[in-house]
């Protein structure tokens, strides 16, 4: 799907799920050098993750430059994991992160997923506005390799 996924996306930007538009080198640089969750991730590992995921890019309408990214791991039937959400530092504060997360949520809605999960250290407020909330029974959840 191309063109804006959400009609109220901030003016001057569009979001797309067209993987051919993703600037993989830029996404890798953002995540491997400027994120707390993927610092040091190899390009090979990032490319592999992107290949197995539904990718969302946000682009400047004038330059075509990619300015944000999000990735979703999903079976498109019952579950999705929203991850690697990143907005370039030069465009932060314009509402692109919230608009991107909203676009992801709305894009996944027709699948009727039982659950969309994410993990965040510092963006709880962004996701709470979209209906995400802490686990009601965290004692039921387990993780292999949890940190």
């Amino acid at each position: 799907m191309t063109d804006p996924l959400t009609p109220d996306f901030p003016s001057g930007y569009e979001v797309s799920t067209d993987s051919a538009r993703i600037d993989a080198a830029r996404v890798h640089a953002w995540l491997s050098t400027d994120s707390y969750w993927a610092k040091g991730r190899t390009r090979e590992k990032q490319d592999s993750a992107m290949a197995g995921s539904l990718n969302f890019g946000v682009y400047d309408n004038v330059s075509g430059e990619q300015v944000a990214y999000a990735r979703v791991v999903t079976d498109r039937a019952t579950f999705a994991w929203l991850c690697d959400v990143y907005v370039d530092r030069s465009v932060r504060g314009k509402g692109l992160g919230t608009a991107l997360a909203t676009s992801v949520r709305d894009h996944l809605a027709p699948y009727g997923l039982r659950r969309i999960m994410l993990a965040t250290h510092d963006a709880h407020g962004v996701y709470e506005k979209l209906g995400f909330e802490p686990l009601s029974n965290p004692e039921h959840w387990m993780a292999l390799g949890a940190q």
Side-chain angles (χ1 to χ4, degrees), residues 81 138-147:
W81 176 265
E139 67 278 5
H140 293 185
W141 292 86
M142 298 178 73
L144 182 63
Q147 297 183 33

Side-chain angles (χ1 to χ4, degrees), residues 74-81 108-117 131-133 135-137 140-141:
T74 183
D75 59 10
R76 292 179 169 89
T78 64
F79 181 82
W81 176 265
L108 296 174
Y111 297 123
L113 303 174
R114 179 178 175 162
R115 185 169 288 115
I116 301 172
M117 302 288 295
F132 285 88
E133 53 191 38
L135 294 173
S136 59
N137 296 302
H140 293 185
W141 292 86

Side-chain angles (χ1 to χ4, degrees), residues 54-130:
L54 175 58
N55 298 283
F56 292 77
V58 176
Y59 305 90
D60 180 289
N61 283 337
V62 174
S63 68
E65 179 181 30
Q66 185 172 351
V67 297
Y69 175 76
R71 183 168 72 84
V72 176
V73 181
T74 183
D75 59 10
R76 292 179 169 89
T78 64
F79 181 82
W81 176 265
L82 172 58
C83 54
D84 289 346
V85 178
Y86 186 92
V87 176
D88 188 90
R89 289 183 177 274
S90 68
V91 295
R92 290 184 186 169
K94 297 182 177 188
L96 293 174
T98 299
L100 175 56
T102 300
S103 293
V104 170
R105 180 199 64 192
D106 294 351
H107 184 83
L108 296 174
Y111 297 123
L113 303 174
R114 179 178 175 162
R115 185 169 288 115
I116 301 172
M117 302 288 295
L118 63 84
T120 185
H121 178 72
D122 59 357
H124 294 80
V126 170
Y127 298 109
E128 287 170 348
K129 288 187 272 187
L130 304 177

